[in-house]
């Protein structure tokens, strides 16, 4: 709030001058010009009140009484009228709230919780007319400036009290609420509304110049006054500062200019809402109330939910988006982001209420790329024809090589085993033909964590033989010319029936298979295993499997990859794995994109079995678990 509002006489005078009845109120001419306050109390009256109460009043409330001995705050938060020096008195906790709040403190309560629990018995009640609500000044919750916190308790709501750091802060908030209640009225114009509207215009220009940090406080204040366009502009800044945080863009989606950006973003939250059966109808009804055609909203929601939605802007920016999506869908997320970042200055706003390409967030392939740091880079980039200093680029998120496979990934845990097939110098779209089960095709880009979780819950394909081990693999390519098919959470162990897919995958060139099989937790379990096999033109060239201290090998293994050179018996399993992964990157140029495989979306397909059928006389055991319904 502006410094000029430290002067109560000016502040209250402006409030009185700007006051008009609420839009839903029916008042006569006399009521429409009613005074909000009364003459101020003199020092003797204030001192007498303090003597009666036994406490000196906090600074901002004491100064307020000297200007106006009470105030009409109408229906904001259920408080209608604040009393003056003769009306205020100790609250005394008439509803016995203290025990209720003390019981919920727990063993290690926060200071704020302790203050609130004790507030009810020591608070000073200010209101004289309300709707089951109370304005309470707490002499036990005092700031360094000597101000008492003010709590508004809405008895009809069942909510926790609203806290304001001082009486002045409460009155400033009520003044803003008064303005917000009337902001939609076309004839509600005054010096304050004009000032706030100028700030909205200035904030928009600053935002498009990349000066979003300067624009943010201007929009926050204008939004608290309910000024038009301020909330939707503020939502865009907040959403790109914290991608994934759900925010509403009001009626912006009803405007055809903004619909391609706003509606998909609004649909993102609903697309993840599976707990409420009637949720879609409720959301579609809200969109219809905003003027969005139901069939349009349904189509966008369906596309966002199943991953088929595409953000398709026009012009140079649209061409960059298409190029970036093609990179990202094969795992090259850093390259995709650089394409977007380079094209951001050429983004054009479809209208004055859009200040950033928020439609990116809803694209299933490109949306995951917009991390908080990248969202801030978008905001810091001058765009839509505006000039300004270019921001420092965000560092790439994918480390080179394969070492990241041993580090904590999504949700803080390292990958629980992994296996991968690399094929050299082919397009990733050819991998299903080389490795896939019959009629295997690439899926649309999907959330890999969800795919793995569902595969784990389902127990795998139901139409397979017990010995089969088919994997759902994510598909992509690397800058070194390798296409890859990666399974990051293998549910099967490397058995004696394992048959490397390297030879089958190498019909057109060189193929590499790596399988890291973690040790089992049981005392009788086997140690971790690390397998490498390399084939070319349908023939396996060399292979080895390291399990514990034992090594099985075949073919002529290059010295740089020889486990005898890489493995020290005194090394831990982790160190051995890291050495072998480093050698694979150095010797063969193998790499995998960490971001795409842990946070992004990639296409998938189901491979042929990684195990062969048992031969005659060869034993093979398996366990089938089933759930039996109890008899009632």
């Amino acid at each position: 709030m502006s410094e000029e509002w430290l002067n109560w006489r000016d502040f209250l005078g402006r409030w009185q001058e700007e006051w008009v009845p609420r839009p839903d109120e029916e008042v006569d001419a006399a009521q429409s010009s009613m005074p909000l306050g009364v003459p101020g109390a003199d020092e003797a009256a204030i001192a007498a009140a303090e003597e009666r109460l036994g406490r000196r009043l906090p600074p901002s409330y004491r100064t307020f009484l000297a200007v106006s001995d009470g105030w009409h705050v109408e229906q904001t938060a259920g408080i209608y009228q604040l009393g003056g020096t003769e009306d205020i008195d100790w609250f005394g906790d008439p509803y016995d709230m203290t025990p209720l709040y003390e019981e919920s403190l727990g063993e290690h309560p926060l200071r704020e919780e302790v203050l609130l629990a004790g507030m009810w018995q020591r608070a000073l009640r200010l209101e004289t007319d309300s709707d089951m609500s109370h304005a309470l000044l707490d002499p036990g919750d005092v700031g360094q400036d000597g101000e008492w916190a003010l709590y508004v308790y809405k008895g009809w709501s069942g909510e926790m009290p609203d806290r304001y750091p001082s009486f002045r802060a409460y009155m400033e908030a009520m003044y803003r609420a008064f303005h917000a209640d009337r902001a939609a009225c076309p004839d509600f114009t005054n010096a304050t509304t004009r000032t706030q509207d100028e700030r909205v215009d200035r904030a928009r220009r600053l935002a498009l110049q990349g000066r979003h940090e300067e624009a943010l406080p201007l929009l926050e204040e204008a939004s608290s006054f309910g000024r038009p366009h301020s909330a939707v502009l503020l939502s865009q800044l907040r959403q790109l500062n914290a991608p994934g945080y759900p925010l509403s863009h009001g009626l912006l989606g009803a405007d055809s200019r903004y619909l391609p950006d706003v509606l998909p973003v609004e649909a993102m939250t609903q697309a993840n809402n599976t707990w409420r059966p009637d949720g879609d109808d409720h959301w579609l009804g809200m969109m219809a109330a905003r003027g969005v055609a139901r069939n349009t909203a349904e189509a966008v929601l369906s596309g966002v939910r199943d991953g088929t939605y595409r953000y398709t802007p026009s012009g140079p920016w649209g061409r960059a988006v298409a190029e970036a999506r093609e990179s990202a869908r094969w795992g090259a997320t850093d390259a995709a982001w650089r394409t977007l970042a380079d094209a951001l200055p050429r983004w054009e706003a479809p209208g004055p209420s859009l200040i950033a390409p928020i439609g990116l967030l809803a694209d299933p392939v490109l949306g995951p790329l917009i991390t908080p740091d990248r969202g801030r880079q978008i905001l810091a980039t001058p765009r839509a024809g505006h000039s300004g200093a270019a921001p420092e680029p965000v560092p790439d998120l994918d480390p080179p090589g394969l070492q990241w496979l041993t580090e904590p990934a999504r949700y803080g845990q390292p990958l629980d085993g992994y296996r991968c097939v690399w094929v050299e110098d082919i397009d990733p779209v050819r991998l299903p033909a080389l490795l896939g089960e019959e009629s295997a095709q690439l899926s649309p880009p999907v959330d890999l964590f969800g795919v793995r979780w569902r595969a784990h819950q389902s127990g795998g394909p139901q139409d397979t033989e017990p010995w089969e081990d088919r994997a759902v693999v994510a598909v992509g390519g690397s800058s070194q010319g390798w296409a890859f098919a990666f399974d990051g959470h293998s549910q099967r162990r490397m058995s004696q029936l394992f048959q490397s897919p390297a030879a089958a995958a190498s019909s057109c060139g060189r193929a590499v298979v790596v399988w890291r099989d973690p040790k089992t937790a049981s005392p009788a379990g086997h140690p971790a295993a690390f397998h490498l096999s390399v084939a070319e033109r349908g023939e396996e060239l060399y292979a080895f499997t390291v399990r514990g201290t034992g090594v099985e090998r075949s073919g002529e293994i290059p010295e740089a990859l020889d486990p005898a050179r890489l493995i020290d018996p005194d090394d831990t399993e982790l160190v051995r794995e890291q050495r072998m992964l480093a050698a694979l990157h150095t010797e063969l140029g193998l790499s995998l994109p960490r971001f795409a495989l842990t946070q992004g979306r990639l296409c998938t397909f189901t491979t042929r079995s990684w195990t062969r059928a048992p031969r005659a006389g060869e034993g093979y055991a398996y366990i089938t678990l089933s759930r039996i319904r109890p008899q009632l």
Side-chain angles (χ1 to χ4, degrees):
M1 192 65 72
S2 173
E3 289 296 320
E4 66 179 293
W5 289 348
L6 292 172
N7 185 315
W8 279 108
R9 194 169 301 279
D10 290 348
F11 172 54
L12 298 177
R14 175 175 296 183
W15 194 341
Q16 177 70 71
E17 180 182 338
E18 296 171 348
W19 190 86
V20 295
R22 295 166 62 98
D24 57 349
E25 287 184 297
E26 295 182 3
V27 298
D28 55 31
Q31 291 174 309
S32 65
S33 59
M34 64 174 287
L36 302 178
V38 296
D42 56 26
E43 179 61 27
I46 297 175
E50 291 175 331
E51 183 176 359
R52 173 171 61 85
L53 298 169
R55 293 291 299 263
R56 182 176 176 83
L57 296 172
S60 65
Y61 184 55
R62 200 176 196 280
T63 309
F64 161 78
L65 291 174
V67 176
S68 182
D69 198 18
W71 193 259
H72 179 71
V73 288
E74 49 177 354
Q75 298 178 23
T76 305
I79 306 295
Y80 304 153
Q81 184 72 38
L82 298 176
T85 52
E86 295 184 359
D87 306 300
I88 57 176
D89 204 350
W90 298 113
F91 184 55
D93 194 10
Y95 309 116
D96 205 23
M97 304 292 290
T98 302
L100 296 176
Y101 280 77
E102 287 180 341
E103 289 172 2
S104 63
L105 287 179
E107 295 184 5
H108 304 287
L110 300 175
R111 176 179 179 272
E112 294 79 5
E113 295 172 332
V114 174
L115 287 173
L116 180 57
M119 180 270 297
W120 307 97
Q121 292 184 344
R122 62 177 178 256
L124 182 66
R125 178 182 56 80
L126 303 187
E127 87 290 341
T128 59
D129 186 16
S130 69
D131 178 14
M132 297 176 61
S133 300
H134 302 282
L136 306 172
L137 274 174
D138 182 9
D141 189 351
V142 184
Q144 293 183 350
D145 54 2
E147 294 287 358
W148 302 2
L150 187 148
Y151 290 86
V152 173
Y153 173 61
K154 302 182 285 290
W156 41 265
S157 71
E159 300 172 353
M160 298 285 283
D162 296 326
R163 182 187 181 276
Y164 302 86
S166 66
F167 177 77
R168 173 192 167 211
Y170 166 72
M171 288 293 282
E172 289 172 341
M174 296 307 99
Y175 175 67
R176 294 192 295 268
F178 149 73
H179 264 267
D181 281 345
R182 293 152 177 80
C185 299
D187 56 349
F188 183 64
T189 59
N190 48 59
T192 301
T193 61
R194 288 189 288 272
T195 296
Q196 294 300 327
D197 289 343
E198 290 170 0
R199 292 182 178 183
V200 173
D201 290 340
R202 180 167 178 259
R204 179 182 177 275
R205 292 193 299 273
L206 288 171
L208 290 173
Q209 292 166 11
R211 298 160 65 184
H212 62 104
E213 293 176 337
E214 298 174 61
L216 185 62
L218 296 176
L219 290 174
E220 287 176 334
E221 182 171 344
S223 180
S224 71
F225 281 86
R227 299 315 304 158
H229 311 296
S230 59
V232 295
L233 298 180
L234 182 61
S235 287
Q236 294 167 57
L237 296 188
R238 288 177 172 169
Q239 202 152 33
L240 284 168
N241 265 291
Y245 188 81
L247 290 168
S248 173
H249 299 85
L251 300 177
L252 205 61
D255 190 319
S256 60
R257 295 175 296 175
Y258 309 120
L259 189 68
D261 279 83
V262 173
L263 184 58
V265 175
E266 294 267 357
M268 288 171 60
T269 302
Q270 182 58 32
N272 296 322
N273 180 12
T274 58
W275 64 271
R276 182 176 171 180
D278 64 338
D280 284 358
D281 284 339
H282 178 71
W283 182 82
L284 292 168
M286 290 195 305
M287 295 301 105
R290 298 178 188 179
V292 181
R294 185 181 179 92
N295 60 343
T296 300
E298 285 179 333
V300 170
L301 177 59
S302 175
V304 170
R305 179 170 282 152
D306 64 19
T308 59
Y309 169 74
R310 298 291 181 267
Y311 172 58
T312 56
S314 60
W317 169 245
R319 291 191 288 275
V321 167
E323 180 183 343
R325 183 184 296 107
E326 187 62 19
S327 297
R329 72 187 295 257
W330 301 119
T333 56
D334 285 332
W337 167 247
R338 288 192 293 271
T339 298
L340 294 173
D342 291 344
L344 272 171
R346 300 194 295 276
W347 175 77
E348 296 180 356
S353 293
L354 202 66
I355 54 175
I358 59 172
L360 271 175
L361 300 175
D363 189 288
V365 175
L366 298 177
L369 274 59
I370 312 304
T371 63
D373 284 343
R374 287 170 171 174
R376 286 186 283 273
Q377 184 176 337
I378 291 175
L379 295 176
T381 301
R383 53 200 180 276
H386 289 255
S387 60
E392 288 293 322
V394 174
D396 285 352
L397 298 180
D398 277 338
L402 301 168
Q403 293 282 67
W404 67 266
L405 289 168
T406 66
E407 300 170 355
R410 196 170 184 175
Y411 306 116
Q413 297 295 323
L415 294 174
D416 184 23
Y418 53 84
R419 50 187 171 178
C420 187
V421 182
W422 287 267
V423 182
E424 195 171 23
D425 295 331
I426 70 164
D427 193 302
V429 297
R430 296 181 58 191
L431 288 176
L434 294 174
L435 296 167
E437 62 182 357
E438 186 177 353
S439 303
Q441 294 183 343
L442 290 179
S443 73
V446 294
D447 178 356
L448 301 178
F449 182 82
V451 168
R452 292 163 189 151
W453 184 86
R454 287 190 295 272
H456 175 65
Q457 295 297 310
S458 67
Q462 302 302 310
D463 59 345
T464 62
E465 296 293 336
W467 52 265
E468 287 189 298
D469 176 15
R470 304 183 190 185
V472 178
V473 291
V475 176
S478 71
S479 58
Q480 292 82 8
W482 294 89
F484 66 81
F486 180 80
D487 174 18
H489 286 270
S490 173
Q491 299 301 315
R492 295 293 191 107
R493 319 302 306 187
M494 188 187 301
S495 73
Q496 74 275 13
L497 302 182
F498 166 60
Q499 180 172 274
S500 172
S506 68
S507 59
C508 301
R510 190 166 51 158
V512 179
V513 169
V514 168
W515 189 343
R516 191 266 184 182
D517 185 14
K519 65 180 179 181
T520 56
S522 63
H526 56 255
F530 189 95
H531 170 84
L532 169 71
S533 49
V534 179
E536 188 169 6
R537 301 292 176 183
E539 297 290 335
E540 183 172 281
L541 302 180
Y542 55 88
F544 67 77
T545 301
V546 178
R547 190 182 295 279
T549 57
V551 180
E552 298 178 5
R553 53 192 298 158
S554 63
E556 187 175 344
I557 303 173
E559 181 181 359
L561 298 177
D562 193 332
R565 186 185 71 85
L566 294 174
I567 296 175
D568 187 314
D570 295 329
D571 286 340
T572 64
E573 290 179 349
L574 175 61
V575 171
R576 295 176 187 175
E577 180 186 0
Q578 290 174 334
R579 284 185 177 177
M580 288 185 279
L581 291 175
L584 288 171
H585 174 60
T586 302
E587 180 70 10
L588 301 179
L590 300 182
S591 64
L592 287 170
R594 179 177 64 182
F595 188 89
L597 288 169
T598 58
Q599 300 182 55
R601 287 181 173 235
L602 291 174
C603 302
T604 66
F605 71 93
T606 301
T607 69
R608 293 191 288 272
S609 176
W610 288 56
T611 53
R612 58 175 174 76
R615 299 188 181 103
E618 191 171 33
Y620 179 74
Y622 62 92
I623 299 175
T624 300
L625 300 177
S626 61
R627 179 179 297 176
I628 301 175
R629 292 181 177 271
Q631 296 293 325
L632 298 179

